[in-house]
Amino acid sequence: MGHKVVVFDISVVRALWETRVKKHKAWQKKEAERLEKSALEKIKEEWDFVAECRRKGVPQAEYCKNGFVDTSTRLLEKIERNSVSRQSARVKDRDKRRSPFVFELSGTQWKELPDSLKEQTHLKEWYIHSTLIQIIPTYIELFQAMKILDLPKNQITCLPAEIGRLKNLKELNVSFNHLKSIPPELGDCEHLERLDCSGNLDLMDLPFELSNLKQVTFVDISANKFSSVPICVLRMCRLQWLDISSNNLSDLPQDIDRLEELQGFLLYKNKLTYLPQAMLNLKKLTLLVVSGDHLVEVPTALCDASTPLKFVSLVDNPIDKTGCQDTEDTVESERDRQHFDKEFMKAYIEDLKEREAVPSYTTKVSFSLQL
């Protein structure tokens, strides 16, 4: 029978493929028009823009106006200018730290201050962090020009009474150490403006003598064991920021309104069940953060959206801790957790300041793994 050979006219095949190509191009055009009209591309563009802004550290308020993302070229130019200015500020800060009046020390290899430090009484600023130093020597009184003592995350167990002789001291940061008390002599540092004793875990009170500190505008005593607001704090007439979160407060004093200049008040992670009516007299208060787990009574005006006050009620339901750990390891892990929580809240509050309104809710997720 032989072989059967099928013969096609090449023009027919060509016409078939040209028809398919035309149909495909028409579909592509139609799809492009659909995407152009769709909100998906706009959303993707905005998300990419927001991600780029956050990568460059641009505040949300700069690119988000009334809930809408501004992706204009003018904003991008502003972002670049701000980036340059921030880099310039960092360079200036680094140069400042290299000043002959500044002393810096860090690292776990340090268990005590170097002997040569005693001779450098001209120093105005100490930055000592993440060391194993337990004692601040009494010769600190020789540093009469001292303005800043920045001593976080060390192993300091006590402060010498001689610290009260630093008459020019403006900032004292002894956060995340092992302090159980603050010397009353600190009340003699009448020019002190900032006091940070957070994260010491066992600090229960501040001496009454600190009532003399009339220039203080910032106090942070969070992550300790305070059962009430210290009397001396209520007498700091220029106080603008008070963080007493993560303590054992069950109520607030009825004369809390003595802090007439107070603008930021952090009370979350305490045992408060109500807020006193006196809170309404804090006319300059713009930020109030509490834990809502046990709070059953709040003055209605505090939650009024028409006021400039940003009232934040956090709901915290931590997972019960299980398993056994050595006491020392437990304390250190608690200190680390408090430090993490503090960094999280710091970032959250900074973001909150940039918003025009408080978000309806915020969820913080934390994971802990034990092996």
Side-chain angles (χ1 to χ4, degrees):
M1 295 178 61
H3 298 283
K4 291 183 179 180
V5 179
V6 180
V7 179
F8 286 99
D9 187 349
I10 191 66
S11 61
V12 175
V13 177
R14 179 180 177 182
L16 178 62
W17 278 105
E18 286 180 347
T19 302
R20 291 184 177 181
V21 169
K22 287 180 181 180
K23 286 183 178 180
H24 183 69
K25 287 183 177 180
W27 176 85
Q28 285 183 320
K29 182 179 179 181
K30 187 177 180 180
E31 184 68 12
E33 291 174 351
R34 185 185 69 80
L35 290 175
E36 186 177 351
K37 295 178 181 179
S38 171
L40 292 176
E41 284 298 309
K42 178 64 176 176
I43 293 174
K44 182 179 182 301
E45 178 187 349
E46 290 183 356
W47 271 107
D48 290 342
F49 184 79
V50 169
E52 180 67 13
C53 288
R54 290 184 176 179
R55 187 181 66 81
K56 292 182 177 180
V58 180
Q60 184 182 27
E62 296 291 339
Y63 59 79
C64 190
K65 306 296 182 183
N66 298 321
F68 295 95
V69 176
D70 179 10
T71 58
S72 65
T73 305
R74 184 175 55 186
L75 179 59
L76 288 173
E77 293 175 352
K78 182 179 179 181
I79 290 171
E80 294 301 328
R81 289 198 301 271
N82 289 345
S83 177
V84 172
S85 63
R86 279 195 301 271
Q87 290 178 359
S88 176
R90 283 195 292 267
V91 170
K92 289 181 180 179
D93 185 61
R94 187 169 62 247
D95 291 342
K96 180 183 176 183
R97 290 291 186 89
R98 292 174 180 172
S99 164
F101 298 101
V102 175
F103 173 73
E104 289 185 281
L105 192 70
S106 65
T108 54
Q109 71 272 23
W110 294 101
K111 296 184 179 181
E112 57 184 23
L113 294 173
D115 294 335
S116 59
L117 183 61
K118 187 176 181 179
E119 309 301 325
Q120 303 179 50
T121 56
H122 64 283
L123 293 173
K124 296 181 180 181
E125 301 176 15
W126 282 11
Y127 296 93
I128 303 172
H129 65 90
S130 305
T131 72
L132 299 180
I133 294 173
Q134 298 183 17
I135 298 175
I136 299 299
T138 57
Y139 65 69
I140 194 172
E141 64 179 325
L142 300 176
F143 294 78
Q144 288 298 303
M146 186 74 72
K147 292 184 177 181
I148 297 177
L149 270 178
D150 195 61
L151 315 171
K153 301 183 71 174
N154 296 292
Q155 304 290 319
I156 302 172
T157 56
C158 64
L159 295 175
E162 286 75 9
I163 196 171
R165 298 180 184 175
L166 303 180
K167 302 301 182 181
N168 292 305
L169 188 64
K170 291 188 175 183
E171 297 183 19
L172 176 61
N173 179 2
V174 286
S175 62
F176 294 93
N177 280 283
H178 297 269
L179 296 174
K180 293 186 178 181
S181 64
I182 299 296
E185 289 80 6
L186 183 63
D188 295 331
C189 300
E190 297 180 353
H191 291 94
L192 193 69
E193 298 175 359
R194 294 175 64 90
L195 175 62
D196 189 345
C197 303
S198 62
N200 281 281
L201 302 186
D202 292 325
L203 200 58
M204 302 178 66
D205 199 6
L206 294 180
F208 180 79
E209 285 78 3
L210 269 58
S211 301
N212 298 328
L213 304 178
K214 303 301 183 183
Q215 303 299 320
V216 172
T217 59
F218 176 98
V219 170
D220 188 345
I221 50 177
S222 60
N224 283 295
K225 290 184 178 178
F226 287 88
S227 58
S228 62
V229 179
I231 295 176
C232 63
V233 171
L234 294 173
R235 298 185 177 223
M236 296 176 181
C237 56
R238 295 191 179 183
L239 191 62
Q240 298 177 9
W241 184 272
L242 175 58
D243 187 348
I244 195 170
S245 58
S246 299
N247 276 284
N248 297 322
L249 269 64
S250 57
D251 56 24
L252 293 177
Q254 294 299 322
D255 58 345
I256 190 68
D257 52 357
R258 294 180 62 166
L259 301 175
E260 297 179 354
E261 300 296 319
L262 197 62
Q263 299 175 16
F265 197 5
L266 275 58
L267 290 164
Y268 62 93
K269 288 192 176 181
N270 278 290
K271 301 176 181 178
L272 298 172
T273 56
Y274 74 97
L275 297 179
Q277 289 290 326
M279 294 285 291
L280 299 177
N281 298 328
L282 299 174
K283 303 301 183 183
K284 295 186 178 182
L285 191 64
T286 57
L287 177 64
L288 175 62
V289 184
V290 300
S291 286
D293 298 85
H294 306 291
L295 210 58
V296 295
E297 185 179 342
V298 178
T300 307
L302 287 179
C303 308
D304 190 349
S306 63
T307 67
L309 174 64
K310 293 178 180 176
F311 178 83
V312 182
S313 179
L314 303 176
V315 178
D316 190 23
N317 185 22
I319 300 174
D320 292 335
K321 296 179 182 178
T322 58
C324 297
Q325 290 180 305
D326 293 337
T327 303
E328 184 176 349
D329 292 339
T330 303
V331 171
E332 287 306 313
S333 62
E334 173 67 11
R335 204 179 302 276
D336 291 340
R337 187 182 67 80
Q338 291 288 359
H339 186 263
F340 171 81
D341 280 356
K342 194 162 188 65
E343 289 300 310
F344 171 85
M345 284 305 301
K346 181 180 178 180
Y348 175 74
I349 290 171
E350 286 300 316
D351 179 71
L352 199 63
K353 288 178 180 178
E354 298 168 4
R355 297 173 181 243
E356 295 181 359
V358 176
S360 57
Y361 67 89
T362 299
T363 302
K364 177 170 77 78
V365 180
S366 177
F367 292 97
S368 177
L369 178 63
Q370 294 182 353
L371 299 178

